Amino acid sequence: MGFKTADLCDDYANEVQVIGSKFNSYGKKKSFSGPIHTVKVFEDNVLVKKALETIPEGSVLVVDGGGSLNCALMGDRLGEIAEKRGLQGVIINGCVRDSADLAKLDIGVFAIGTNPLKSKKEGKGEQDIPLQFFSATWKPGDYVYADEDGIVISPKKLG
C-alpha cells in the first residue's frame, strides 16, 4: 500500500485522528486504506451485506456494531463479497466469525473479536452517517489508513 501509520502520524499529527491497538486483524491484508463508507447496526448484519454489495471498489466499510461481542457481523461469505468487489477492507466495532477463512481473503479485516454465532437478519440500522466510537469520528468520504500499528483517519487523502 505504500504507507505506514506511524509515518502518517509523524507527517500529519495535527490533521488526523489516531486509534491505537483496539482491533485485531483477521484478513490477509495487514495494511489497507481507502475512502470510508459507514453502517451502524446492533447484532444485525443485513445492512453490512447491503453495503458490501454496493459501495465502490477501493473503499473501506466501517461498521459500528456497538462493540457487541454477542454475535458476528461478518463471516467468510460477506468477506468473499468484499474481496470479489475489490474493497480494501472492513473495520468492525464488533465481531467476525470464520476467522480462518477470512485470513485467506485478500482484504483487510479489523474487528474487536470473534464469535461463532451469526447475527440477526432484521435489516435495522443506519447507513452513510458519521459514526462515533473509540474517541474518533468516522465520516463517510474521509480516508482511513490501517496497519499493524493502528488506524489513522483523515478528512483528505494523504501522501
Side-chain angles (χ1 to χ4, degrees), residues 14-55:
N14 297 325
E15 304 171 44
V16 298
Q17 299 176 81
V18 180
I19 300 159
S21 57
K22 303 275 190 198
F23 294 96
N24 299 306
S25 178
Y26 296 100
K28 187 176 180 180
K29 281 187 183 178
K30 302 303 178 195
S31 175
F32 60 95
S33 67
I36 294 172
H37 292 265
T38 64
V39 172
K40 183 173 184 166
V41 296
F42 189 74
E43 298 179 3
D44 183 334
N45 76 348
V46 171
L47 291 181
V48 175
K49 182 179 182 200
K50 178 183 172 188
L52 292 172
E53 294 172 336
T54 59
I55 66 174

Short mmCIF file of all heavy atoms in Angstrom, two decimals, residues 14-55:
data_model
loop_
_atom_site.label_atom_id
_atom_site.label_comp_id
_atom_site.label_asym_id
_atom_site.label_seq_id
_atom_site.Cartn_x
_atom_site.Cartn_y
_atom_site.Cartn_z
N ASN A 14 -1.24 16.89 13.38
CA ASN A 14 -2.27 17.87 13.73
C ASN A 14 -3.51 17.79 12.87
O ASN A 14 -4.47 18.54 13.08
CB ASN A 14 -1.69 19.29 13.68
CG ASN A 14 -0.58 19.48 14.69
OD1 ASN A 14 -0.63 18.92 15.78
ND2 ASN A 14 0.43 20.24 14.33
N GLU A 15 -3.51 16.91 11.87
CA GLU A 15 -4.61 16.84 10.92
C GLU A 15 -5.42 15.54 10.98
O GLU A 15 -6.42 15.41 10.28
CB GLU A 15 -4.07 17.00 9.49
CG GLU A 15 -3.27 18.26 9.26
CD GLU A 15 -2.58 18.26 7.91
OE1 GLU A 15 -3.23 17.89 6.91
OE2 GLU A 15 -1.39 18.61 7.86
N VAL A 16 -4.95 14.57 11.78
CA VAL A 16 -5.57 13.24 11.75
C VAL A 16 -6.05 12.82 13.14
O VAL A 16 -5.62 13.35 14.15
CB VAL A 16 -4.58 12.19 11.21
CG1 VAL A 16 -4.19 12.50 9.78
CG2 VAL A 16 -3.35 12.06 12.09
N GLN A 17 -6.94 11.83 13.13
CA GLN A 17 -7.36 11.14 14.35
C GLN A 17 -6.60 9.81 14.37
O GLN A 17 -6.43 9.19 13.32
CB GLN A 17 -8.85 10.86 14.33
CG GLN A 17 -9.72 12.09 14.26
CD GLN A 17 -11.19 11.68 14.15
OE1 GLN A 17 -11.83 11.36 15.13
NE2 GLN A 17 -11.69 11.69 12.93
N VAL A 18 -6.20 9.37 15.54
CA VAL A 18 -5.40 8.16 15.65
C VAL A 18 -6.05 7.20 16.65
O VAL A 18 -6.48 7.61 17.73
CB VAL A 18 -3.97 8.50 16.11
CG1 VAL A 18 -3.14 7.22 16.24
CG2 VAL A 18 -3.30 9.48 15.16
N ILE A 19 -6.12 5.95 16.26
CA ILE A 19 -6.64 4.90 17.13
C ILE A 19 -5.57 3.83 17.24
O ILE A 19 -5.09 3.30 16.23
CB ILE A 19 -7.93 4.28 16.55
CG1 ILE A 19 -8.99 5.37 16.42
CG2 ILE A 19 -8.43 3.14 17.42
CD1 ILE A 19 -10.07 5.06 15.47
N GLY A 20 -5.17 3.53 18.46
CA GLY A 20 -4.14 2.52 18.69
C GLY A 20 -4.68 1.11 18.53
O GLY A 20 -5.61 0.86 17.77
N SER A 21 -4.16 0.20 19.29
CA SER A 21 -4.42 -1.23 19.11
C SER A 21 -5.73 -1.69 19.73
O SER A 21 -5.75 -2.54 20.62
CB SER A 21 -3.25 -2.03 19.67
OG SER A 21 -3.07 -1.70 21.03
N LYS A 22 -6.83 -1.16 19.25
CA LYS A 22 -8.16 -1.58 19.73
C LYS A 22 -8.68 -2.78 18.94
O LYS A 22 -9.61 -3.45 19.37
CB LYS A 22 -9.17 -0.45 19.59
CG LYS A 22 -8.77 0.82 20.29
CD LYS A 22 -9.18 0.78 21.72
CE LYS A 22 -9.00 2.14 22.35
NZ LYS A 22 -8.99 2.08 23.77
N PHE A 23 -8.11 -3.00 17.74
CA PHE A 23 -8.62 -4.02 16.83
C PHE A 23 -7.64 -5.16 16.64
O PHE A 23 -6.44 -4.99 16.79
CB PHE A 23 -8.89 -3.40 15.45
CG PHE A 23 -10.00 -2.39 15.44
CD1 PHE A 23 -9.73 -1.04 15.54
CD2 PHE A 23 -11.32 -2.79 15.33
CE1 PHE A 23 -10.74 -0.09 15.53
CE2 PHE A 23 -12.34 -1.86 15.32
CZ PHE A 23 -12.05 -0.51 15.42
N ASN A 24 -8.18 -6.31 16.27
CA ASN A 24 -7.39 -7.44 15.82
C ASN A 24 -7.53 -7.54 14.31
O ASN A 24 -8.58 -7.19 13.75
CB ASN A 24 -7.89 -8.74 16.46
CG ASN A 24 -7.80 -8.69 17.97
OD1 ASN A 24 -6.75 -8.43 18.52
ND2 ASN A 24 -8.92 -8.93 18.63
N SER A 25 -6.50 -8.03 13.65
CA SER A 25 -6.51 -8.17 12.20
C SER A 25 -6.88 -9.60 11.83
O SER A 25 -6.28 -10.55 12.33
CB SER A 25 -5.13 -7.83 11.63
OG SER A 25 -5.11 -8.01 10.24
N TYR A 26 -7.89 -9.75 10.94
CA TYR A 26 -8.36 -11.09 10.56
C TYR A 26 -8.22 -11.37 9.07
O TYR A 26 -8.33 -12.51 8.65
CB TYR A 26 -9.82 -11.28 11.00
CG TYR A 26 -9.97 -11.25 12.49
CD1 TYR A 26 -10.42 -10.11 13.14
CD2 TYR A 26 -9.62 -12.35 13.27
CE1 TYR A 26 -10.54 -10.07 14.53
CE2 TYR A 26 -9.73 -12.32 14.65
CZ TYR A 26 -10.19 -11.18 15.27
OH TYR A 26 -10.30 -11.14 16.64
N GLY A 27 -8.02 -10.36 8.24
CA GLY A 27 -7.89 -10.57 6.81
C GLY A 27 -6.45 -10.83 6.40
O GLY A 27 -5.53 -10.67 7.20
N LYS A 28 -6.25 -11.21 5.15
CA LYS A 28 -4.91 -11.46 4.62
C LYS A 28 -4.11 -10.16 4.54
O LYS A 28 -2.91 -10.14 4.83
CB LYS A 28 -5.02 -12.11 3.24
CG LYS A 28 -3.72 -12.57 2.65
CD LYS A 28 -4.01 -13.29 1.33
CE LYS A 28 -2.75 -13.79 0.68
NZ LYS A 28 -3.07 -14.49 -0.58
N LYS A 29 -4.78 -9.06 4.15
CA LYS A 29 -4.11 -7.75 4.08
C LYS A 29 -3.96 -7.20 5.49
O LYS A 29 -4.94 -7.03 6.19
CB LYS A 29 -4.93 -6.76 3.26
CG LYS A 29 -4.83 -6.89 1.78
CD LYS A 29 -5.57 -5.72 1.13
CE LYS A 29 -5.57 -5.86 -0.37
NZ LYS A 29 -6.31 -4.76 -0.99
N LYS A 30 -2.74 -6.91 5.87
CA LYS A 30 -2.49 -6.35 7.20
C LYS A 30 -2.41 -4.82 7.14
O LYS A 30 -2.38 -4.16 8.17
CB LYS A 30 -1.19 -6.90 7.78
CG LYS A 30 -1.18 -8.43 7.90
CD LYS A 30 -2.33 -8.93 8.73
CE LYS A 30 -2.35 -10.45 8.79
NZ LYS A 30 -3.60 -10.98 9.28
N SER A 31 -2.38 -4.28 5.92
CA SER A 31 -2.30 -2.84 5.71
C SER A 31 -3.25 -2.48 4.58
O SER A 31 -3.20 -3.09 3.52
CB SER A 31 -0.86 -2.49 5.34
OG SER A 31 -0.73 -1.14 5.01
N PHE A 32 -4.14 -1.51 4.83
CA PHE A 32 -5.10 -1.12 3.79
C PHE A 32 -5.58 0.30 4.03
O PHE A 32 -5.47 0.82 5.14
CB PHE A 32 -6.28 -2.10 3.73
CG PHE A 32 -7.08 -2.22 5.00
CD1 PHE A 32 -8.23 -1.48 5.20
CD2 PHE A 32 -6.70 -3.12 6.00
CE1 PHE A 32 -8.98 -1.60 6.36
CE2 PHE A 32 -7.44 -3.25 7.17
CZ PHE A 32 -8.59 -2.48 7.35
N SER A 33 -6.09 0.92 2.99
CA SER A 33 -6.59 2.28 3.11
C SER A 33 -7.63 2.54 2.04
O SER A 33 -7.71 1.81 1.04
CB SER A 33 -5.45 3.29 2.96
OG SER A 33 -4.93 3.26 1.65
N GLY A 34 -8.42 3.59 2.25
CA GLY A 34 -9.42 3.98 1.26
C GLY A 34 -10.44 4.91 1.86
O GLY A 34 -10.42 5.20 3.06
N PRO A 35 -11.35 5.38 1.00
CA PRO A 35 -12.43 6.24 1.49
C PRO A 35 -13.40 5.44 2.36
O PRO A 35 -13.69 4.28 2.10
CB PRO A 35 -13.09 6.76 0.22
CG PRO A 35 -12.71 5.79 -0.84
CD PRO A 35 -11.40 5.18 -0.44
N ILE A 36 -13.91 6.12 3.39
CA ILE A 36 -14.80 5.49 4.36
C ILE A 36 -16.25 5.50 3.87
O ILE A 36 -16.74 6.50 3.38
CB ILE A 36 -14.71 6.24 5.71
CG1 ILE A 36 -13.33 6.07 6.33
CG2 ILE A 36 -15.82 5.77 6.67
CD1 ILE A 36 -13.12 6.94 7.57
N HIS A 37 -16.91 4.36 4.06
CA HIS A 37 -18.37 4.23 3.95
C HIS A 37 -18.80 3.62 5.27
O HIS A 37 -18.08 2.80 5.85
CB HIS A 37 -18.76 3.34 2.77
CG HIS A 37 -18.45 3.99 1.46
ND1 HIS A 37 -19.37 4.71 0.74
CD2 HIS A 37 -17.28 4.06 0.77
CE1 HIS A 37 -18.80 5.18 -0.35
NE2 HIS A 37 -17.54 4.80 -0.35
N THR A 38 -19.98 4.00 5.77
CA THR A 38 -20.34 3.59 7.13
C THR A 38 -21.69 2.88 7.22
O THR A 38 -22.59 3.11 6.41
CB THR A 38 -20.40 4.82 8.07
OG1 THR A 38 -21.44 5.69 7.63
CG2 THR A 38 -19.07 5.55 8.11
N VAL A 39 -21.77 2.05 8.24
CA VAL A 39 -23.00 1.37 8.62
C VAL A 39 -23.04 1.32 10.15
O VAL A 39 -22.02 1.03 10.79
CB VAL A 39 -23.06 -0.08 8.05
CG1 VAL A 39 -24.24 -0.83 8.61
CG2 VAL A 39 -23.11 -0.08 6.56
N LYS A 40 -24.21 1.60 10.72
CA LYS A 40 -24.40 1.47 12.17
C LYS A 40 -25.50 0.45 12.40
O LYS A 40 -26.63 0.64 11.94
CB LYS A 40 -24.77 2.81 12.79
CG LYS A 40 -24.91 2.74 14.30
CD LYS A 40 -25.11 4.10 14.91
CE LYS A 40 -25.13 3.96 16.43
NZ LYS A 40 -25.01 5.26 17.07
N VAL A 41 -25.15 -0.63 13.10
CA VAL A 41 -26.10 -1.72 13.35
C VAL A 41 -25.88 -2.24 14.78
O VAL A 41 -24.88 -1.91 15.41
CB VAL A 41 -25.91 -2.88 12.34
CG1 VAL A 41 -26.22 -2.43 10.93
CG2 VAL A 41 -24.51 -3.46 12.42
N PHE A 42 -26.77 -3.08 15.23
CA PHE A 42 -26.56 -3.77 16.51
C PHE A 42 -27.03 -5.20 16.39
O PHE A 42 -28.24 -5.46 16.27
CB PHE A 42 -27.27 -3.06 17.67
CG PHE A 42 -26.88 -3.63 19.00
CD1 PHE A 42 -25.64 -3.35 19.55
CD2 PHE A 42 -27.74 -4.47 19.69
CE1 PHE A 42 -25.25 -3.90 20.77
CE2 PHE A 42 -27.37 -5.03 20.91
CZ PHE A 42 -26.13 -4.74 21.44
N GLU A 43 -26.06 -6.12 16.34
CA GLU A 43 -26.32 -7.56 16.28
C GLU A 43 -27.21 -7.94 15.10
O GLU A 43 -28.00 -8.89 15.19
CB GLU A 43 -26.88 -8.05 17.63
CG GLU A 43 -25.88 -7.82 18.75
CD GLU A 43 -26.36 -8.25 20.13
OE1 GLU A 43 -27.48 -8.79 20.25
OE2 GLU A 43 -25.60 -8.04 21.09
N ASP A 44 -27.09 -7.23 14.00
CA ASP A 44 -27.90 -7.43 12.78
C ASP A 44 -27.01 -7.04 11.60
O ASP A 44 -26.56 -5.90 11.52
CB ASP A 44 -29.13 -6.53 12.85
CG ASP A 44 -30.08 -6.69 11.67
OD1 ASP A 44 -29.64 -7.10 10.58
OD2 ASP A 44 -31.27 -6.38 11.84
N ASN A 45 -26.76 -7.96 10.67
CA ASN A 45 -25.81 -7.65 9.61
C ASN A 45 -26.42 -7.46 8.22
O ASN A 45 -25.71 -7.44 7.22
CB ASN A 45 -24.69 -8.69 9.55
CG ASN A 45 -25.12 -10.00 8.93
OD1 ASN A 45 -26.30 -10.26 8.71
ND2 ASN A 45 -24.14 -10.85 8.64
N VAL A 46 -27.72 -7.29 8.11
CA VAL A 46 -28.36 -7.10 6.81
C VAL A 46 -27.78 -5.88 6.09
O VAL A 46 -27.44 -5.94 4.90
CB VAL A 46 -29.90 -6.99 6.95
CG1 VAL A 46 -30.54 -6.57 5.64
CG2 VAL A 46 -30.48 -8.32 7.43
N LEU A 47 -27.63 -4.75 6.80
CA LEU A 47 -27.09 -3.54 6.17
C LEU A 47 -25.60 -3.67 5.88
O LEU A 47 -25.08 -3.03 4.96
CB LEU A 47 -27.36 -2.31 7.02
CG LEU A 47 -28.81 -1.87 7.11
CD1 LEU A 47 -28.94 -0.61 7.97
CD2 LEU A 47 -29.40 -1.62 5.73
N VAL A 48 -24.90 -4.50 6.64
CA VAL A 48 -23.48 -4.76 6.36
C VAL A 48 -23.36 -5.43 4.99
O VAL A 48 -22.58 -5.00 4.13
CB VAL A 48 -22.84 -5.64 7.45
CG1 VAL A 48 -21.40 -6.00 7.09
CG2 VAL A 48 -22.91 -4.96 8.81
N LYS A 49 -24.17 -6.46 4.77
CA LYS A 49 -24.15 -7.15 3.48
C LYS A 49 -24.53 -6.20 2.34
O LYS A 49 -23.87 -6.17 1.30
CB LYS A 49 -25.10 -8.35 3.50
CG LYS A 49 -25.08 -9.14 2.20
CD LYS A 49 -26.01 -10.33 2.23
CE LYS A 49 -25.90 -11.08 0.91
NZ LYS A 49 -27.05 -11.93 0.67
N LYS A 50 -25.58 -5.42 2.55
CA LYS A 50 -26.02 -4.48 1.52
C LYS A 50 -24.90 -3.51 1.15
O LYS A 50 -24.64 -3.24 -0.03
CB LYS A 50 -27.24 -3.71 2.01
CG LYS A 50 -27.76 -2.67 1.03
CD LYS A 50 -28.94 -1.90 1.61
CE LYS A 50 -29.31 -0.75 0.71
NZ LYS A 50 -30.30 0.13 1.33
N ALA A 51 -24.22 -2.97 2.17
CA ALA A 51 -23.12 -2.04 1.92
C ALA A 51 -21.98 -2.72 1.16
O ALA A 51 -21.43 -2.16 0.21
CB ALA A 51 -22.62 -1.44 3.23
N LEU A 52 -21.62 -3.93 1.57
CA LEU A 52 -20.54 -4.66 0.88
C LEU A 52 -20.88 -4.89 -0.59
O LEU A 52 -19.99 -4.94 -1.43
CB LEU A 52 -20.26 -5.98 1.59
CG LEU A 52 -19.64 -5.88 2.97
CD1 LEU A 52 -19.58 -7.25 3.64
CD2 LEU A 52 -18.26 -5.24 2.92
N GLU A 53 -22.16 -5.04 -0.89
CA GLU A 53 -22.59 -5.28 -2.27
C GLU A 53 -22.69 -4.01 -3.11
O GLU A 53 -22.79 -4.09 -4.32
CB GLU A 53 -23.95 -5.98 -2.27
CG GLU A 53 -23.91 -7.38 -1.70
CD GLU A 53 -25.28 -8.01 -1.52
OE1 GLU A 53 -26.29 -7.28 -1.39
OE2 GLU A 53 -25.35 -9.25 -1.48
N THR A 54 -22.66 -2.83 -2.47
CA THR A 54 -22.95 -1.60 -3.21
C THR A 54 -21.88 -0.51 -3.14
O THR A 54 -21.83 0.32 -4.03
CB THR A 54 -24.29 -1.00 -2.75
OG1 THR A 54 -24.22 -0.72 -1.34
CG2 THR A 54 -25.45 -1.93 -3.04
N ILE A 55 -21.05 -0.47 -2.11
CA ILE A 55 -20.08 0.62 -2.02
C ILE A 55 -19.02 0.45 -3.11
O ILE A 55 -18.77 -0.65 -3.58
CB ILE A 55 -19.46 0.76 -0.62
CG1 ILE A 55 -18.59 -0.45 -0.25
CG2 ILE A 55 -20.54 0.99 0.43
CD1 ILE A 55 -17.84 -0.30 1.07
#
